[in-house]
Amino acid sequence: MEKTQLVRDWRGRDYLVGDTPQDLINRPRSWMFWLPWAAMASIGAMQYGYAAAVPALAQARGWPLASTLAPLAVWIVCQAAVALPTVLLLRRGALGIRVALWAGAPLSAAALLTTAFARDLPAVLAGYALLGGVGAGLVYGSCTEAVARWYPERPAAKVGFTTGAFAYGTAPLAVAAGLFGAPGNTGSAGSALQPLFAVAAAVALVAVGLAATFVRLPPPHWWPTHIDPRAWADDRIALRREPRAVRQFSLSQALRTSSLPILVSILVCAGAVSIFDVVALATFGGLFPWFPWFPWAAVALLLVLNGVGRACAMLAAEVTGRGRTLSAVLALLCLGQLLLAWGAVTGSAVMILVATVPAGLGGGAFYPLIASLVREYFGERHTASIHGVVYSAKAVAGLVGIGLAAWALTSSGHAAAFFLAAGLVLAAAALSATLRQPGHPVTLPG
């Protein structure tokens, strides 16, 4: 085995070079990508699968639609709140990744089983929203940290692809839940949802359990031996893919910049609309009684594009820059809301399907872009804590998105809600245009 050595580049970043993945885990590092990818795909059913099943759950359990949305809002809050401390504890060595994943596996499975069989709302709030949110936060934090650590030369692109599985991995369940929740299937909705979510629970238990069995974290600052770290640090292509921060910011220093509050605000606005779109499309069945399968077709397309958009946006960002790509993604999301509003006003199923394309592509891509901007703006040393603060804003986004969906379903109608969603995304796009990398000296013109 090659002797391990610590190498430092011209910016002061450390690289631990010498040990190969075969030395450390006795298998290729691709295992540390695909196993987290599969685990992320399996737990996405808790968020997007439940959202797509809202109409069927309300019909089967006799709950008002607004009450059916409440567990989803609590789940999002818990998931976002747990992901941050999970990453921090993993970074500090206070939590083992196997422990986190082994805890997340049964919690995630229990949440999906609760969704399948619980008949009263308090049970769903406890089993799905609270326990499931904690389990999903453990798995999400562990999987993204593992992928980022094993692919330090391209963490943003790899993590973006992994989080994409969180969306499109649940498309089959969303399709089936929407299909059996269509108008005319009211009597069979409950019995149809039970096996669907039971199968999803088994898949989550197996996928996360496999990740817990095999996934390990490399040593701090580990670097692949086939890439010269100093040459990589000077390479123009690498600098475009992973731009360096001017200096390493602590969390308190980052909070004093204007960039961090802007990133948080963008995530709140765009994240709320992303959640709202899934619920809104799932409840479109009443608008098109002659096309009962329409909602699940729209939701499936939205979720697939949501996941694909994350990976494509990261590739585009390596060419055009993250800031410009983020603005373009938000513009797509805003366009999608306006077209969805048009489709709701005119009653055009074709227009709604067309609108789902920009809404889907823009509805998830901002997550990995914001994560990579945190690294680009504030450096790698404290990226876990800083990004944790930003990602925790997803809890607020979830509450806003669910509140917007409940408002649309109970009073205003879909069209007005889509126009309001467009306004939220437009505000986020305007904020994205003001983003600047912090740390550059301010100079006065001569």
Side-chain angles (χ1 to χ4, degrees):
M1 183 171 64
E2 195 176 331
K3 184 178 179 181
T4 303
Q5 58 178 331
L6 195 65
V7 177
R8 179 168 294 177
D9 67 15
W10 61 280
R11 287 252 175 147
R13 177 176 174 177
D14 292 326
Y15 307 81
L16 188 66
V17 184
D19 288 332
T20 66
Q22 201 69 30
D23 297 327
L24 295 171
I25 56 174
N26 199 32
R27 53 183 52 90
R29 68 170 174 166
S30 58
W31 282 56
M32 303 299 105
F33 175 78
W34 289 111
L35 286 173
W37 179 91
M40 290 285 279
S42 70
I43 66 167
M46 282 187 278
Q47 176 170 312
Y48 295 112
Y50 186 98
V54 162
L57 286 169
Q59 291 174 10
R61 311 289 161 80
W63 302 336
L65 279 172
S67 299
T68 311
L69 288 169
L72 178 59
V74 176
W75 183 92
I76 293 172
V77 171
C78 292
Q79 187 265 335
V82 172
L84 165 61
T86 297
V87 173
L88 292 177
L89 292 173
L90 288 171
R91 286 280 177 99
R92 295 170 183 170
L95 176 66
I97 193 167
R98 295 183 68 188
V99 173
L101 290 170
W102 276 125
L107 288 174
S108 299
L112 291 164
L113 287 174
T114 301
T115 305
F117 298 107
R119 306 298 303 179
D120 58 299
L121 199 57
V124 175
L125 283 168
Y128 161 73
L130 295 177
L131 295 181
V134 171
L138 289 168
V139 176
Y140 194 102
S142 299
C143 291
T144 53
E145 178 68 4
V147 172
R149 292 268 292 272
W150 280 105
Y151 290 87
E153 75 278 18
R154 294 189 71 184
K158 292 294 185 179
V159 170
F161 191 86
T162 304
T163 59
F166 191 67
Y168 56 70
T170 193
L173 174 63
V175 167
L179 174 61
F180 289 111
N185 290 337
T186 303
S188 62
S191 59
L193 286 177
Q194 289 179 354
L196 291 175
F197 278 95
V199 170
V203 171
L205 187 64
V206 171
V208 181
L210 284 173
T213 302
F214 295 104
V215 171
R216 303 290 183 273
L217 292 177
H221 310 297
W222 177 83
W223 189 259
T225 56
H226 66 280
I227 301 173
D228 184 341
R230 286 176 174 155
W232 177 86
D234 292 332
D235 184 71
R236 290 185 177 181
I237 295 177
L239 287 171
R240 186 169 64 245
R241 287 176 174 171
E242 301 295 332
R244 313 294 193 270
V246 174
R247 59 186 175 86
Q248 301 293 321
F249 288 75
S250 66
L251 177 57
S252 60
Q253 291 171 334
L255 288 170
R256 290 195 292 269
T257 69
S258 62
S259 299
L260 189 57
I262 290 174
L263 290 172
V264 169
S265 301
I266 291 171
L267 193 145
V268 168
C269 294
V273 174
S274 179
I275 296 295
F276 162 70
D277 280 349
V278 179
V279 179
L281 288 176
T283 56
F284 258 149
L287 297 180
F288 307 102
W290 63 90
F291 190 3
W293 294 349
F294 170 76
W296 66 260
V299 169
L301 181 61
L302 183 81
L303 293 179
V304 169
L305 292 175
N306 186 299
V308 171
R310 300 183 190 217
C312 293
M314 298 313 301
L315 295 175
E318 294 177 354
V319 178
T320 63
R322 285 160 174 73
R324 291 179 180 176
T325 306
L326 178 61
S327 296
V329 162
L330 294 173
L332 274 176
L333 184 57
C334 184
L335 174 63
Q337 306 315 299
L338 294 174
L339 294 177
L340 284 168
W342 185 8
V345 169
T346 60
S348 171
V350 173
M351 177 54 66
I352 291 173
L353 285 175
V354 170
T356 301
V357 175
L361 289 173
F366 58 87
Y367 281 115
L369 285 169
I370 289 175
S372 60
L373 279 170
V374 168
R375 185 184 297 270
E376 177 181 335
Y377 284 0
F378 306 111
E380 300 86 5
R381 190 171 301 162
H382 303 286
T383 186
S385 58
I386 298 173
H387 179 248
V389 170
V390 178
Y391 187 76
S392 296
K394 181 184 176 182
V396 180
L399 294 175
V400 175
I402 297 302
L404 184 60
W407 179 63
L409 295 173
T410 57
S411 60
S412 69
H414 287 80
F418 281 126
F419 279 121
L420 182 54
L424 285 174
V425 183
L426 186 61
L431 286 172
S432 72
T434 68
L435 282 170
R436 299 290 183 273
Q437 188 181 52
H440 291 288
V442 178
T443 58
L444 295 175

